[in-house]
Amino acid sequence: MTTTLEPAPAPAPRATKEEQPHTVVMPSRHTGRKLLVVLVLWLVAWATLRGKQTLALANADTTGLHEWLNEVRDRVQLLGQDNWFFHGVLGSIASVLDSFVGFLQSHLSSVTPGAYLGWLGVLALAAWVTYTLAGLRSTLLVTAVLLFLGVAGLWTDGVDTLIITVVSVLICIVIGLPLGIAMSRSHRTSALMTPVLDVMQTMPSFAYLTPIALFFGIGPACAIVLTLIYALPPLVRITEHGLRSVAANTVEAGRSLGVTKGQLLRQVQLPMAKRTIVVGINQSTMAALSMATIAALVNGPGLGKPVVAALQSLNVGAASVAGLGIVLIAIMLDRTTTAASERSAPAGQRVTAVSSPGFFRGPTVVMEKLPRWATEEGGHGEPAKRLTPGGRRLVLGLLLVPALVAAYYSTLYLQLSQFPDVSAVPLLGELTSGPLSTHINDLTTAVVDALSGLTNGFKDLVTLGMLNPLQSVMSDLPWWVMALVLLAVAYLLGGWRPTVVTAVCEAVILGTGLWYDAMVTLTMTIVATLLVMLIAVVLGVAMGRGRRTDTVIRPFLDGFQTIPAFVYLVPALALFAATRFTAIMAAVAYAVPIATKLVADGVRGVSPTSVEAARSTGITRWQMISKVQLPMAREALVLATNQGLLYVLSMVVIGGMVGGGSLGYLIVQGFVQGQLFGKGLAAGIAITALGIMLDRIARYAAARYGR
Amino acid sequence: MTDLAVDRARTPQSEASSSALSVRGLWKVFGPNAEKLVGTPDLELSRQELQAKSGHVIGVRDVSFDVAPGEVFVVMGLSGSGKSTLVRLVTRLIEPTAGTVLLGGDDLTAMGEEQLREIRRRKVSMVFQHFGLLPHRKVIDNIAFGLEVRGEDKGPRRHRAQEMVDLVGLSGYEQNYPDQLSGGMQQRVGLARALAGDPAVLMFDEPFSALDPLIRRDMQKEVIRLHHEVGKTMVFITHDLDEALKLGDRILIMRDGAIVQVGAPDEIIGAPADEYVRDFTAEVPKSHVLTLKWVMREPGSADEGAGAPALPDTTVVREAARAVLAADGPVRVVDSSGTVVGVVDDEDILRVVVVEQHGDRPGSGAS
Ligand SMILES: Nc1ncnc2c1ncn2[C@@H]1O[C@H](COP(=O)(O)OP(=O)(O)OP(=O)(O)O)[C@@H](O)[C@H]1O
Ligand SMILES: [Mg+2]
C-alpha cells in the first residue's frame, strides 16, 4: 500500500520552457526566391559593368590613409620615448616582459656554457615538474620530445617556444581565473565581458599583429601580449562555465549550512569545478602555442621563426622539421595538461561532464573545441591507486634530488650544457635537421610527383571551376554592386540588424582602401567554407550514424585540432606550391575537424524516437539522412558553418604567407617593408571588419533558420 | 508498517507552549516585480490567472502554522504545490515576498546576512532530496563540513563527525567518497551532516523520494529512531502520503501554494477538508489510521455495551477489531479520563474494513 502522489499530473501547469512566450523572428517566406532574384541582378550587373570601379590597388600602391598610418607609426616611435602612456605604461610592460623572457632564455634555452642551466638540467627539471603534475607517462613523453628537439638541432627554438607559451599561460591564469570567477558571480560582469571575449575570439589572429607590434615593439614582449589575447578567452569562458555549472543543489546545501561567499567559492565551487578549469588551462595552452608560433612574424622567439624563414624560401624540408618540432610540442603539452586534468579529479569522484544542455546556446562554441574526453560523461572508472599524500610527497622529494643534481652538473660541464652534436652518430645523425630536411624534401618530391596528376587536377578543378569565376563575379565589378549584394544577402538571411552591421563593416573596408583585396579574401573564404562543409557533412553524417566510424575518425580530428594553425601551411605548400589554392587547402584542413565534430554531434543528437518512427515507415537510408537526420540537425549544421567560416577566414589570411595573396599578404608585407606598414595595418582592420560581418550574418541566420 | 505509526508516542501539541517554529502570513511570488504586488488585489487571483496577467508565479500563498518543540510536522502536496519553496522560505534560502518566520522566538525575516548565517550554522539544518554532498570530500569531511564552516577546530570536529557516522550507521565508510556509496547511504551522510551541528530544527525536503521503496522504508525507520534518540523538531516534506502518515505528528496539506488542511493523521483521513484531500487519501487503508473516535456512535442506552471491557478512543480500528468482533454486543469507548464517549459494534468496524476491501470510498469517515 503505497499512496504516492507523484505520478498525478500537477494541477497547475508549470511554466515550462515551451509554454513561455518567446519571440521568434519568423523566417520571412520565399527567401530562396528572393535570393535568386538578387543573384540574377548581380550577374546582370557583373556582365554589364565588368571591370569598372573595382577599387583594385596594386601591391606597392598606398592610399592617403596608409600614409597617414605610417606617420602615426613614426610619431609613436618618436614620441614613444617620452610619452607617459607609450613609454611609461606600455614601455614598462614591454621591458618587464622582455627582460623576464630574456632571463628565462638565458637560463633555459641559451647554449652558452657556464653559469646557465644546460639541456640536461632543463630536461631533468621539466621531467620532475611533469611527473609531479601529470604522472609517469607524460614524463616519458616530455623527455622524448625534448630529446628530439635536441637531436634535431631545434633545442634553442623549441625551448623558446615553450618559454613564450608557458609564460603566457601563467599570465593567462593570473588574469583569467579571477576574471572567470568574477563573471560567474555577477551577471553584470558577465554581460559586460562577454562581448569583449567575443570580439577577441572572432578577430582573426593575424588582424591584431600589426597594432600590438606598434604598441609593444617587435620581440618577446609583443609575442607574449599577442599570445595572451588569443589564449585568454577560452580559459575565462570555461572557468565561468565550470563555476556556474556546479550543481545547484550542492550550492544550496552549502548555503543551508551557513557558508560565507568566500567559503562557498573555496570549499564548494572551486573544488567541484577544478577539473573543468584545468580543461580550460589545456585549451588556453593549445591556443597559446598556436599563437606563439605565429608571433614569429613580430620577431617572437621560437620555432615559428624557422618555419617562417623556410616558408618564405619555399623550403618544404626545413619548414617540415621545425613544423614537426611544433607538432611534437603540441602533442606533449596537450597530453600533459590532459593527464593533469584527469588527475585533478579526486579519487573516487566520478568525472563530471563538462558539456551540459544549453551550453551550445552561447555565441561561441567552446565545448566543441574540446577533445572528446572532456565533453563526454566519464565512466565510473577505477579510481587510480594513489599513494597517501605523505608518501607522495616523499617520492617527489626523493626524485627532486637527482633532478637537482643533474641541473647542477649541467651548469658545470659543456657537454651537459650544450646539446651534443650527434650528426656523426649513425642512426641519430639522420635525425639532425640537415639530413632530416633533405629526407623530407626527397620524400615530398616523391609524393608530390606521384600525386601531381591528382593534386594538380583537383587544384585546377577548384581554381578554374570555382575560385576564378567566383572571384571574378565578386571582385571584378563596381564595388557598390557587391556592397549592395552583401547588404541584400544579410537582410534576406538575418533581418535588419546584421544589415546594419554589414553596412558599417563595408564602410570600414572601403575606408581602408582595400575593397578589392577584401573581396578576393572573401571569395577564398567562401570557397574554402563550401569545401569544408562538403567534407564535414559527409564525414559528420557517417560519424553520427555509426559509432564505429566515429571511434575511428574522432581521434584524428582531436589530433588535428591540437596542431597549431601555422603548421598547416607546410603540407599545403608541399602539395600545391605557392598559390591562392594552397591557402584555401590549409584553411580547409584547419576548419574541417571542428565542423565535422559539430555535424556529427548534431546528427547523433537527433532523437532516437524520431529515427525509429521514421524507420517504421520504411524509408531508405538516403531518405533517412536527407529527410530526417540532416533537417533535424539543422542547428548543428548552421553552427558548423559559422565556426567553419571563422576558422577558414583566420587561416586564409595566414595563407598570405604561402601565396594566398590579398589581405594576409599585405599584413606580412607590412612587417617586411617599412613603407607598407600602414597598408598592413589597414589590411588588419579590413580583416576584422570582414570577420565581424561574416560572423554577424551567420549568427543571425543561425538564430532564424537554426531552430 | 503502520504499526509504527500507531505505536510511537505522539508528542502532545500544545499551541499554548512557545512553538519551535512559527510562520505567519508567508508569501512567495516569483517574478520581476513581486514586491510591488503585495497588498494589491492581484494576489487574490488564482495562480493561472496571475501568471497569464503579469507573468508572476505564486509559489506560496499566505501560509501560517506553528510547529511545537519535538514535533514532526509533515508538509505534503502534489508536485508544484509549493512545498520546496515553503521549506526554503523558512530558512530564507529563498527570500519571502511577505510574512514572518519566528524560530525559537527569533524573527528570521528581520535578520541581516550575518545573523542569518549564524542561525543556519547552529539552529536549523536541512536534508535535501538530491543529497547535495560535496563529491571531492570524504564521507567524514562531508559530515564535518558544517562544523568546519562555523570555525570549529579539527579535533572536536572529527570527534563529533565520528559520533554522527556511528549514529546513522555508516561506521566503516568514513574514508569513502560519496560516489562510492549507494543512494541510501549517501542520504545517511546528508542526515549526519544535518545532525552534526546539533540544530534545534531539522528540515527535510523529500529526502527519500530518490530512493528505492525498500531503502526508503529503512530510512523512514531511521528517522523515527533518530527522532526518539535526539528528539529534534522536524519539518518533513513529502509527496508520499504513506510516509506522511507514518512519520507525521501533524500533516499540512498544500495545493497551489496555499494550505488546504492541517491536522493529525486521523483527522486528515477521518475528516478531509475537501475533495482534493479526500481524493488522495482515498487509497489509504482507513482501518490502519482511523481511531475508534472516528467510528463510534452515541450509546443507544446508558448500559449498552456494559458487558464487555471498554476500549480507549485512541485505539486504531484494526487493533480494536478483534476485541469488538469477539464481544457479543457493542463495546464501550472511553476517553483518556475514563468517561464513556460512545460505543462501537461489529457493524461499525466492518464498515471501515470491508469498504476498504471493496476499494470504495466510505460515505464519510466521521460518525
Ligand atoms: N525560481 C522560481 N521562479 C519561478 N517559479 C518558481 C521558482 N521556483 C519554483 N517556482 C514555481 O513555484 C511552484 C512551486 O514549486 P515548488 O518547487 O515549491 O513545488 P514542490 O511542491 O516542491 O514540487 P515538487 O514535488 O515537484 O518538488 C511551481 O509552480 C514552480 O514552477
Ligand atoms: Mg520540491
Side-chain angles (χ1 to χ4, degrees):
Chain A
M1 64 152 240
T2 305
T3 320
T4 305
L5 295 171
E6 188 67 334
R14 289 195 174 210
T16 54
K17 206 110 185 246
E18 296 75 48
E19 284 161 355
Q20 271 164 4
H22 53 114
T23 38
V24 185
V25 211
M26 283 309 292
S28 52
R29 296 167 65 201
H30 310 308
T31 308
R33 218 173 295 168
K34 288 178 189 162
L35 281 175
L36 205 65
V37 173
V38 172
L39 180 69
V40 170
L41 290 177
W42 176 13
L43 289 180
V44 170
W46 170 73
T48 48
L49 299 167
R50 200 166 167 180
K52 290 178 190 139
Q53 301 172 32
T54 59
L55 301 187
L57 194 67
N59 272 341
D61 287 354
T62 52
T63 68
L65 177 81
H66 306 159
E67 296 303 334
W68 182 76
L69 287 173
N70 278 343
E71 276 168 38
V72 169
R73 171 200 52 186
D74 297 340
R75 193 117 30 98
V76 167
Q77 282 174 349
L78 257 172
L79 283 182
Q81 318 293 333
D82 38 37
N83 178 290
W84 69 270
F85 181 70
F86 287 112
H87 186 69
V89 181
L90 298 184
S92 350
I93 294 179
S95 63
V96 166
L97 288 176
D98 274 338
S99 52
F100 184 56
V101 171
F103 169 81
L104 288 177
Q105 277 180 308
S106 68
H107 279 78
L108 303 177
S109 64
S110 134
V111 286
T112 3
Y116 298 130
L117 202 56
W119 67 270
L120 185 66
V122 172
L123 186 61
L125 289 179
W128 185 80
V129 170
T130 314
Y131 185 74
T132 310
L133 295 177
L136 185 63
R137 275 177 29 184
S138 305
T139 312
L140 294 179
L141 182 66
V142 167
T143 312
V145 171
L146 288 180
L147 282 177
F148 170 81
L149 290 178
V151 170
L154 299 172
W155 180 264
T156 306
D157 284 334
V159 176
D160 279 351
T161 297
L162 281 173
I163 289 174
I164 298 288
T165 309
V166 171
V167 169
S168 305
V169 170
L170 289 180
I171 301 177
C172 261
I173 293 174
V174 170
I175 301 175
L177 222 49
L179 200 58
I181 291 173
M183 285 173 69
S184 78
R185 312 187 101 191
S186 134
H187 282 282
R188 194 171 314 158
T189 318
S190 185
L192 206 71
M193 284 306 301
T194 304
V196 179
L197 295 177
D198 272 355
V199 171
M200 281 164 87
Q201 282 189 313
T202 326
M203 236 190 325
S205 46
F206 241 48
Y208 45 86
L209 282 181
T210 321
I212 300 292
L214 177 60
F215 290 137
F216 289 90
I218 58 173
C222 179
I224 287 191
V225 174
L226 285 171
T227 310
L228 209 56
I229 295 177
Y230 193 63
L232 193 60
L235 179 63
V236 176
R237 284 223 144 103
I238 296 178
T239 302
E240 182 194 6
H241 168 70
L243 288 173
R244 277 197 193 276
S245 47
V246 167
N249 58 43
T250 315
V251 172
E252 190 175 44
R255 286 178 59 212
S256 84
L257 291 167
V259 292
T260 61
K261 279 192 170 166
Q263 284 172 327
L264 188 68
L265 181 68
R266 279 194 312 277
Q267 311 209 18
V268 179
Q269 291 173 309
L270 278 180
M272 288 182 74
K274 186 166 150 199
R275 188 168 185 274
T276 314
I277 293 174
V278 181
V279 170
I281 294 177
N282 167 283
Q283 291 304 294
S284 186
T285 310
M286 300 321 289
L289 175 65
S290 177
M291 197 62 194
T293 51
I294 293 179
L297 287 170
V298 291
N299 209 16
L303 283 173
K305 277 185 170 178
V307 176
V308 173
L311 286 180
Q312 276 165 350
S313 60
L314 303 184
N315 181 346
V316 172
S320 299
V321 175
L324 186 61
I326 297 175
V327 171
L328 288 176
I329 289 180
I331 293 174
M332 168 183 114
L333 289 175
D334 183 45
R335 290 287 94 209
T336 309
T337 43
T338 303
S341 135
E342 274 156 6
R343 280 193 150 213
S344 64
Q349 183 187 339
R350 193 173 305 162
V351 168
T352 44
V354 177
S355 66
S356 60
F359 195 73
F360 279 87
R361 312 251 164 75
T364 345
V365 200
V366 183
M367 285 312 149
E368 264 312 313
K369 293 183 184 166
L370 301 184
R372 182 73 160 200
W373 59 264
T375 52
E376 277 218 330
E377 183 87 43
H380 204 113
E382 276 291 295
K385 285 198 202 75
R386 290 273 197 94
L387 294 165
T388 59
R392 196 174 131 74
R393 248 172 266 144
L394 186 71
V395 170
L396 290 178
L398 285 179
L399 286 175
L400 185 58
V401 176
L404 287 177
V405 169
Y408 176 69
Y409 278 108
S410 84
T411 61
L412 296 185
Y413 298 104
L414 187 57
Q415 296 92 319
L416 300 182
S417 139
Q418 213 160 3
F419 205 91
D421 186 4
V422 292
S423 50
V425 184
L427 266 172
L428 276 184
E430 297 303 310
L431 282 180
T432 54
S433 56
L436 194 57
S437 70
T438 320
H439 293 319
I440 293 177
N441 267 335
D442 294 347
L443 187 70
T444 321
T445 320
V447 171
V448 170
D449 283 349
L451 292 181
S452 64
L454 207 66
T455 49
N456 285 335
F458 183 53
K459 180 168 150 183
D460 292 343
L461 183 74
V462 174
T463 310
L464 299 178
M466 246 168 118
L467 196 52
N468 286 350
L470 197 62
Q471 181 170 327
S472 167
V473 188
M474 289 185 60
S475 50
D476 276 345
L477 77 181
W479 65 270
W480 49 268
V481 175
M482 197 55 215
L484 287 177
V485 168
L486 286 174
L487 285 175
V489 170
Y491 181 75
L492 290 179
L493 289 182
W496 61 269
R497 272 174 214 253
T499 314
V500 172
V501 178
T502 304
V504 173
C505 290
E506 284 176 345
V508 171
I509 297 174
L510 264 185
T512 61
L514 300 172
W515 179 270
Y516 183 84
D517 290 291
M519 287 308 115
V520 174
T521 302
L522 183 59
T523 313
M524 286 163 62
T525 308
I526 290 174
V527 170
T529 307
L530 287 177
L531 290 175
V532 166
M533 288 316 291
L534 198 68
I535 302 174
V537 168
V538 172
L539 276 184
V541 167
M543 284 169 68
R545 289 169 53 87
R547 265 280 167 200
R548 194 167 312 158
T549 321
D550 190 290
T551 328
V552 173
I553 296 181
R554 201 172 277 267
F556 287 99
L557 299 182
D558 286 348
F560 280 122
Q561 277 189 294
T562 58
I563 298 178
F566 223 36
V567 178
Y568 281 94
L569 295 179
V570 181
L573 182 66
L575 286 173
F576 303 107
T579 59
R580 269 175 314 166
F581 185 74
T582 314
I584 290 180
M585 286 327 284
V588 170
Y590 183 58
V592 156
I594 171 99
T596 307
K597 279 182 170 185
L598 282 169
V599 174
D601 290 354
V603 172
R604 160 111 354 112
V606 171
S607 120
T609 332
S610 313
V611 173
E612 195 173 36
R615 185 168 299 137
S616 74
T617 64
I619 62 177
T620 65
R621 182 199 304 197
W622 173 243
Q623 284 170 325
M624 175 69 90
I625 294 174
S626 63
K627 291 201 190 317
V628 180
Q629 289 176 318
L630 279 181
M632 288 186 73
R634 193 167 49 177
E635 188 171 359
L637 283 178
V638 175
L639 209 54
T641 315
N642 186 353
Q643 288 296 300
L645 259 179
L646 292 179
Y647 270 57
V648 160
L649 177 64
S650 80
M651 195 66 191
V652 155
V653 179
I654 298 178
M657 305 226 20
V658 289
S662 63
L663 297 179
Y665 176 77
L666 294 178
I667 289 183
V668 179
Q669 286 305 304
F671 291 117
V672 182
Q673 299 180 34
Q675 74 276 18
L676 289 182
F677 175 88
K679 200 173 178 185
L681 193 54
I685 297 171
I687 289 170
T688 311
L690 204 56
I692 291 176
M693 180 176 98
L694 288 175
D695 180 53
R696 288 291 133 169
I697 297 179
R699 219 185 267 184
Y700 279 96
R704 250 191 197 192
Y705 297 97
R707 289 181 200 277
Chain B
M1 52 204 265
T2 319
D3 305 280
L4 282 166
V6 189
D7 294 345
R8 30 190 300 262
R10 295 201 182 279
T11 321
Q13 333 130 10
S14 51
E15 291 288 324
S17 77
S18 63
S19 42
L21 178 68
S22 169
V23 170
R24 287 285 165 272
L26 207 55
W27 282 87
K28 179 66 198 182
V29 183
F30 292 106
N33 290 313
E35 266 72 27
K36 295 205 184 106
L37 281 180
V38 177
T40 65
D42 273 4
L43 286 190
E44 303 300 319
L45 296 173
S46 80
R47 234 187 205 188
Q48 288 88 330
E49 285 166 344
L50 182 67
Q51 193 180 353
K53 186 173 168 194
S54 63
H56 289 80
V57 178
I58 298 188
V60 165
R61 179 193 287 269
D62 197 14
V63 166
S64 307
F65 61 87
D66 288 274
V67 182
E71 185 180 8
V72 179
F73 188 80
V74 172
V75 178
M76 62 172 304
L78 295 174
S79 188
S81 57
K83 311 179 294 291
S84 299
T85 309
L86 177 61
V87 78
R88 282 165 177 75
L89 289 176
V90 168
T91 53
R92 281 179 58 194
L93 284 173
I94 297 179
E95 284 295 333
T97 311
T100 51
V101 177
L102 299 180
L103 189 96
D106 300 327
D107 186 356
L108 245 67
T109 32
M111 284 181 180
E113 194 57 28
E114 185 63 34
Q115 277 174 300
L116 187 62
R117 219 161 25 229
E118 211 42 40
I119 291 282
R120 288 182 189 156
R121 289 176 176 187
R122 302 189 184 273
K123 297 277 170 55
V124 241
S125 295
M126 237 177 124
V127 179
F128 298 88
Q129 179 175 4
H130 298 292
F131 323 138
L133 302 179
L134 299 175
H136 56 281
R137 287 170 160 247
K138 293 176 180 161
V139 165
I140 188 99
D141 297 322
N142 258 294
I143 295 176
F145 184 61
L147 305 172
E148 186 182 332
V149 156
R150 68 189 198 197
E152 269 171 43
D153 291 336
K154 192 156 184 174
R157 197 163 85 201
R158 282 264 160 163
H159 184 73
R160 173 78 183 158
Q162 188 59 50
E163 277 177 21
M164 292 303 116
V165 167
D166 299 338
L167 182 67
V168 299
L170 280 177
S171 314
Y173 290 97
E174 296 86 347
Q175 302 302 320
N176 285 66
Y177 286 92
D179 278 22
Q180 298 167 328
L181 304 183
S182 69
M185 286 157 91
Q186 291 191 34
Q187 195 54 294
R188 282 170 199 263
V189 178
L191 203 54
R193 177 178 66 186
L195 286 169
D198 195 25
V201 179
L202 274 172
M203 309 268 196
F204 295 82
D205 185 10
E206 301 197 22
F208 308 141
S209 37
L211 309 177
D212 327 339
L214 282 181
I215 299 182
R216 189 185 310 174
R217 206 176 310 160
D218 275 353
M219 293 298 293
Q220 288 163 354
K221 284 189 188 145
E222 190 76 20
V223 167
I224 292 168
R225 180 177 69 82
L226 288 171
H227 188 239
H228 277 302
E229 284 181 28
V230 296
K232 304 269 181 223
T233 308
M234 297 183 177
V235 176
F236 197 103
I237 308 277
T238 180
H239 59 247
D240 181 348
L241 182 60
D242 192 29
E243 189 168 84
L245 294 172
K246 223 190 265 184
L247 301 174
D249 292 322
R250 279 192 303 149
I251 299 174
L252 184 159
I253 297 187
M254 287 183 88
R255 179 179 47 190
D256 286 358
I259 296 184
V260 184
Q261 187 172 8
V262 189
D266 57 342
E267 289 175 318
I268 301 281
I269 305 294
D274 64 4
E275 276 304 305
Y276 176 75
V277 180
R278 195 193 310 283
D279 261 357
F280 66 67
T281 56
E283 297 289 308
V284 176
K286 305 280 182 301
S287 62
H288 293 215
V289 181
L290 288 184
T291 56
L292 292 182
K293 190 166 80 185
W294 297 97
V295 295
M296 68 193 185
R297 56 183 167 80
E298 290 294 316
S301 60
D303 59 348
E304 194 181 1
L311 293 169
D313 64 355
T314 51
T315 317
V316 174
V317 170
R318 201 178 67 155
E319 304 288 302
R322 181 166 304 224
V324 175
L325 295 179
D328 291 335
V331 172
R332 283 180 169 178
V333 180
V334 294
D335 67 9
S336 51
S337 64
T339 322
V340 176
V341 288
V343 292
V344 284
D345 57 21
D346 298 2
E347 202 170 313
D348 298 317
I349 299 291
L350 289 176
R351 200 168 53 230
V352 177
V353 177
V354 172
V355 158
E356 198 163 85
Q357 278 164 0
H358 285 271
D360 306 335
R361 170 191 312 169
S364 158
S367 61

